[in-house]
Amino acid sequence: MSPSTVRDPLTPVEEKVARGERLSAADGLALFESDDLLRVGRLADAFRKGRTGDDAYFVVNRHINYTNVCLNRCQFCAFSRDEGEPGAYTLDVSEVVDKAREAAAQGAREIHIVGGEHPTLPYASIRSMITGVRAAAPSAHIKAFTASEIVHFARVEGMSVEDMLRDLKVAGVNSLPGGGAEIFAPRVREIVCPAKISGEQWLEVHRTAHRVGLKTTATMLYGHLETIEERVDHLFKLREAQDETGGFQAFIPLAFQPKKTRLAQLPGPSGVDDLKVLAAARLLLDNFAHIKAYWVMTGLKLAQVSLFFGADDLDGTVVEEVISLMSGADHGQGVPKSELIRVIRDAGRVPVERDALYGVVERHGEGNGSEVRPGKS
Ligand code: V47
């Protein structure tokens, strides 16, 4: 074949996207291998626009990390502690409930509760925490417990995962967050989180949650020891599970924060990597309605730029997410709603305040916000 007839690897991907065809693993690799970030971004942006148009979502939410005591001690996690170690903490049920009450009073629609796998905290306390939050914030959506916490509670109580999920649903849990997925590849899990549930178990918990009527989200922790093949494999496993159940609401890539972890020698992902992961995810996860840019991990400025690389959601006001704070992420611990509205508008999108299930709370179209847009008249 002469050089002029060699096709560049992105052309067939662009053709497939234009024909509405599903992308293959080879296409996924071509996206990650491409040096033409803007071309990859344009493709993802056009795909996103076909799904969500000019809307960009955000939610008023609050994270509550009830304990950092954890049996797993994953290499990438600077949050976890052994029981009794300096810096270890466990909030009382009343402290969690107070934080939830305060959040609801400030307009939070979603309360995101996760913690470590505590070796001695009884399940009865976990349950009281949820019933307490439900009573204190009756109209807030409770998004609680990663798949690995669910497996831990089920083990402690001698219950099946399905029964545990049903019990938590009765107590007041409305959906599961996507944490703990990390990267599904056993090769990497063996190094970075050997004590944690496997990728297969994570997927099984989410399939079970969907079966019992709980929606969930999905994450991928990237920018540590994984290869691009392993990223594509992770995304494909999510796509396959979503084909089966349809229960995932959104995908959230989590940019590895190395600073205070046992993998601090690693540089962490670059900005180009952050944008490429979002764009590739948007294109490969054709059965996911939403892709979130989680500003806590990337900073609000890059999260804003992510709206041009496949993301349609900036997640939330967040408030006090300790997992990233302890890992050295220094992008702030909360952002006011007015700031999310401002950055979305400044990107030329319509800010849509959503609830936890993507129901529209308010469209902040031009003219009904009070914030100033410097440089725009
Ligand atoms: O489970 C831990 C990851 C997760 C680090 O579901 C780290 O809507 C980066 O899951 N660098 C917690 N990531 C955050 C999370 C999340 C956030 C926002 C929205 C949703 C959702 C989920 O963060 C953990 C773990 O996978 N993590 N340490 C670190 N050093």
Side-chain angles (χ1 to χ4, degrees), residues 76 112 143 177-180 182 217 221 252 255 257 292 294 297 327:
F76 53 76
H112 182 149
K143 178 172 180 170
E182 323 312 359
T217 43
L221 176 67
I252 309 110
Q257 311 292 314
K292 270 194 216 178
Y294 188 44
M297 303 288 188
S327 68

Side-chain angles (χ1 to χ4, degrees), residues 18-89:
R19 289 195 298 266
E21 263 175 50
R22 186 160 252 204
L23 299 184
S24 66
D27 298 327
L29 289 177
L31 291 166
F32 277 113
E33 276 163 0
S34 173
D35 287 327
D36 197 339
L37 176 67
L38 294 184
R39 194 165 153 204
V40 171
R42 258 195 310 275
L43 196 56
D45 193 48
F47 188 88
R48 174 207 57 75
K49 199 172 167 64
R51 302 294 178 94
T52 48
D54 285 338
D55 292 348
Y57 296 87
F58 69 93
V59 63
V60 178
N61 64 353
R62 167 158 198 163
H63 286 235
I64 304 176
N65 300 128
Y66 63 94
T67 183
N68 65 350
V69 176
C70 188
L71 290 164
N72 286 332
R73 308 311 311 268
C74 303
Q75 297 285 307
F76 53 76
C77 180
F79 169 69
S80 70
R81 295 285 183 278
D82 290 332
E83 206 171 8
E85 188 184 339
Y89 76 84

Side-chain angles (χ1 to χ4, degrees), residues 105-274:
Q106 290 166 358
R109 303 253 163 194
E110 174 191 279
I111 303 191
H112 182 149
I113 305 173
V114 292
E117 286 180 32
H118 194 299
T120 56
L121 189 64
Y123 176 63
S125 302
I126 298 290
R127 208 176 186 286
S128 306
M129 185 166 89
I130 296 302
T131 52
V133 169
R134 175 48 67 234
S139 57
H141 177 107
I142 303 178
K143 178 172 180 170
F145 309 128
T146 64
S148 96
E149 287 169 278
I150 299 290
V151 170
H152 174 67
F153 303 151
R155 248 187 235 137
V156 167
E157 284 299 284
M159 281 164 80
S160 70
V161 161
E162 179 163 343
D163 287 346
M164 178 51 66
L165 288 166
R166 287 190 193 283
D167 191 56
L168 286 168
K169 192 176 171 201
V170 170
V173 168
N174 300 112
S175 70
L176 258 54
E182 323 312 359
I183 194 90
F184 293 143
R187 180 193 76 83
V188 188
R189 284 184 104 78
E190 197 53 47
I191 306 168
V192 302
C193 52
K196 194 166 235 169
I197 58 168
S198 67
E200 278 311 319
Q201 280 176 294
W202 187 97
L203 286 160
E204 197 43 43
V205 172
H206 282 256
R207 284 192 185 99
T208 309
H210 300 165
R211 208 167 47 238
V212 309
L214 294 166
K215 294 280 185 196
T216 73
T217 43
T219 61
M220 175 174 79
L221 176 67
Y222 67 93
H224 44 96
L225 299 178
E226 84 289 357
T227 62
I228 56 174
E229 286 79 3
E230 287 161 340
R231 288 180 187 174
V232 171
D233 169 73
H234 187 103
L235 296 172
F236 266 60
K237 289 200 160 76
L238 289 176
R239 187 169 88 179
E240 209 175 282
Q242 180 75 327
D243 276 344
E244 285 167 36
T245 68
F248 290 110
Q249 300 202 93
F251 172 71
I252 309 110
L254 297 172
F256 175 48
Q257 311 292 314
K259 275 189 206 155
K260 297 185 182 162
T261 73
R262 275 167 282 170
L263 297 172
Q265 76 282 8
L266 298 175
S270 68
V272 168
D273 227 9
D274 291 332

